[in-house]
Amino acid sequence: MSDFSFWVILSNLLLATRWTILLSLIAFVSGGIVALILLFARVSGRPWLERLTRWYIEFFQGTPLLMQLFLFFFGVALFGVDVDPWIAAWLALTFWTSAFLTDIWRGCVEAIPKGQWEASDTLALSYVEQMRYVILPQAARIAIAPTVGFSVQVIKGTALASIIGFVDLTKAGTMLNNATFRPFLVYSLVALIYFALCFPLSWYAHRLERQLHAAR
Amino acid sequence: MGYTLVFSDLLPYWDVLLHGLIFTIVLTIVSTIAGIALGTAGASARAFGPKWLDLLVGAYVEIIRNTPFIVQLFFIFFGLPAAGIKLSETVAAFLAMTINLGAYSTEIIRAGIQAVPKGHIEAGESLAMSRMQVLRYVVLKQAFQKIYPALSSQIVIVMLGSAVVSQISAEDLTYAANYIQSRNFRAFEVYLVVTLLYLLLAIAARAILRGIGRWAFPKA
């Protein structure tokens, strides 16, 4: 009975893991797209645009992700829309991810020497052209390592979606715990699966970082 | 849209919010102190201890950094009793936050220790300082000065992450929000107000930490 229970627990956790992976991927991609747009605003040199994005970043970095999830979950409901935990989790994680990625990428853009901006200015490139052809290709190289590193935070962040009823790895763990009364085993396995998802990314980010330092 | 926001329904619950706010602040302060102490011990062990201790602390750091805080919290609160260790929700919250910050600060402080020039340690030794004296006066002082900004942001991150302890019924600010919305059904208003309270806490924490930094490391 005990052996049977172990495989049931493990297989159910692994099945729920695909939702954790899927939500992480979606949040990372949509957060990245929003961050790219915000990045253009953040380094545009227009004070009001820069201030606006700074407030955005300050808000989403300065408040708990859990609160953001609640706000989206109950906020969308105000409009009389039946809120699916998927939508609320996706929205909250997108905003949260974009705030951090904008900040990370801003650092990478600012690492590009001023002369590059001035040179492309001299060539009469527009702001968007300067970013597209001169600045971003160089900044992207520096950005890869911290971006991969941040993806670990996104995966861990999705665990909070379980609180608003999103059935991910963490939620599956809670439900299995309630059904089997084997919390030590269940949460050890949950932690192990998260570790298996996150550790390769952490390790890869670390390796990329060292490569970049060696290349300089 | 047909919905009007009503914030006045929150007023009767001001004492619940205050209680939660104080709990979150105390939780953050105590686990920050304990977490940094743990991180200092961990970083010193990794930098100067035997190889097996380095590996052991390294495993602790990687396990904590690569799993969600909520899972660590659930493991401590729900999992440990099965192994005979039963903790109250408050103690479990403190423990989880300390262990979490301990892992992050181990790595941050270790980076600071590695940045201290070898010559300084040798100079300390040639002054007949003991191992502990070198660590205390030469290595850690410089290390903390270098990594202070990184450590400060990690403290704010841990404070915001503490919202999760409401899930084991520790009575923090988020718990207060859940309590109030279950009574007056003003979920959005409550969470909006509490979110802004967290924002104020984060801004205040950053200002206080900056002040402490200026006092501890003059003209750094």
Side-chain angles (χ1 to χ4, degrees):
Chain A
M1 180 63 203
S2 171
D3 270 352
F4 174 71
S5 196
F6 174 82
W7 290 113
V8 169
I9 291 172
L10 185 63
S11 59
N12 275 294
L13 287 177
L14 288 174
L15 277 175
T17 304
R18 59 201 162 128
W19 302 122
T20 288
I21 295 173
L22 194 62
L23 181 61
S24 305
L25 279 174
I26 292 173
F28 191 70
V29 170
S30 57
I33 292 168
V34 175
L36 196 61
I37 296 165
L38 288 172
L39 179 67
F40 276 77
R42 183 67 185 84
V43 295
S44 63
R46 284 183 199 169
W48 66 273
L49 255 183
E50 291 191 356
R51 202 172 318 126
L52 219 59
T53 35
R54 229 180 25 239
W55 283 343
Y56 176 95
I57 293 168
E58 173 80 13
F59 179 80
F60 285 102
Q61 288 194 1
T63 57
L65 174 59
L66 182 58
M67 283 298 125
Q68 295 161 25
L69 280 162
F70 282 150
L71 279 180
F72 280 105
F73 193 58
F74 292 104
V76 178
L78 290 189
F79 294 92
V81 183
D82 194 20
V83 211
D84 192 72
W86 258 106
I87 305 290
W90 170 64
L91 281 174
L93 281 162
T94 299
F95 280 90
W96 180 78
T97 303
S98 67
F100 280 90
L101 282 181
T102 305
D103 228 14
I104 292 170
W105 293 348
R106 178 186 58 97
C108 300
V109 166
E110 283 175 357
I112 306 302
K114 266 235 147 56
Q116 299 285 332
W117 285 102
E118 289 162 1
S120 47
D121 220 12
T122 323
L123 292 171
L125 294 178
S126 73
Y127 171 63
V128 175
E129 283 171 338
Q130 289 178 18
M131 282 287 269
R132 165 76 184 79
Y133 295 108
V134 182
I135 305 299
L136 287 185
Q138 299 181 72
R141 214 172 79 87
I142 317 173
I144 290 174
T147 305
V148 173
F150 183 71
S151 68
V152 174
Q153 308 296 327
V154 177
I155 294 176
K156 293 193 294 177
T158 62
L160 294 186
S162 65
I163 297 173
I164 57 166
F166 182 86
V167 184
D168 69 334
L169 178 51
T170 306
K171 184 74 183 176
T174 311
M175 296 192 304
L176 283 166
N177 176 36
N178 292 339
T180 62
F181 302 109
R182 299 180 70 185
F184 195 83
L185 176 72
V186 170
Y187 289 116
S188 299
L189 286 174
V190 169
L192 202 70
I193 296 172
Y194 273 112
F195 186 80
L197 291 177
C198 295
F199 185 70
L201 287 168
S202 298
W203 181 82
Y204 185 56
H206 191 68
R207 219 188 62 159
L208 283 171
E209 215 168 293
R210 262 188 319 199
Q211 274 176 357
L212 190 70
H213 275 292
R216 260 193 220 157
Chain B
M1 134 184 186
Y3 185 92
T4 33
L5 295 174
V6 180
F7 287 97
S8 56
D9 282 1
L10 294 185
L11 286 174
Y13 297 99
W14 68 272
D15 54 329
V16 180
L17 280 177
L18 185 67
H19 181 270
L21 189 67
I22 292 170
F23 186 93
T24 292
I25 292 171
V26 173
L27 179 70
T28 303
I29 292 174
V30 175
S31 43
T32 292
I33 294 168
I36 290 175
L38 185 62
T40 308
S44 308
R46 286 202 82 172
F48 305 109
K51 185 81 189 153
W52 64 267
L53 194 60
D54 179 25
L55 287 173
L56 197 71
V57 177
Y60 153 66
V61 168
E62 292 304 336
I63 288 169
I64 297 299
R65 290 206 307 178
N66 288 295
T67 53
F69 175 64
I70 186 170
V71 174
Q72 296 159 18
L73 186 73
F74 283 174
F75 183 82
I76 288 172
F77 188 66
F78 297 118
L80 287 187
I85 306 165
K86 191 147 173 40
L87 303 163
S88 74
E89 51 272 25
T90 306
V91 174
F94 275 117
L95 194 63
M97 287 195 39
T98 302
I99 288 173
N100 191 272
L101 181 60
Y104 284 94
S105 58
T106 292
E107 274 318 272
I108 294 171
I109 298 167
R110 192 170 77 118
I113 290 176
Q114 280 171 345
V116 175
K118 269 236 147 55
H120 288 203
I121 299 171
E122 289 163 2
E125 278 165 355
S126 67
L127 289 170
M129 284 173 136
S130 73
R131 233 192 145 75
M132 280 314 280
Q133 281 173 324
V134 172
L135 191 65
R136 160 86 182 73
Y137 296 105
V138 180
V139 179
L140 288 184
K141 197 173 154 61
Q142 288 188 68
F144 269 101
Q145 187 161 0
K146 280 211 178 73
I147 52 98
Y148 190 78
L151 200 56
S152 300
S153 10
Q154 191 61 42
I155 292 168
V156 175
I157 288 172
V158 167
M159 181 181 78
L160 297 174
S162 79
V164 175
V165 302
S166 59
Q167 294 304 307
I168 59 166
S169 299
E171 296 180 2
D172 75 328
L173 192 50
T174 306
Y175 180 89
N178 291 336
Y179 175 92
I180 295 168
Q181 74 97 10
S182 70
R183 272 156 187 79
N184 67 8
F185 306 110
R186 294 277 172 201
F188 188 74
E189 289 91 328
V190 175
Y191 289 123
L192 190 63
V193 167
V194 169
T195 302
L196 293 176
L197 281 175
Y198 272 111
L199 187 60
L200 284 179
L201 269 183
I203 292 168
R206 255 180 251 140
I208 291 167
L209 285 166
R210 210 177 305 126
I212 294 175
R214 264 195 222 121
W215 165 77
F217 311 112
K219 78 172 188 78

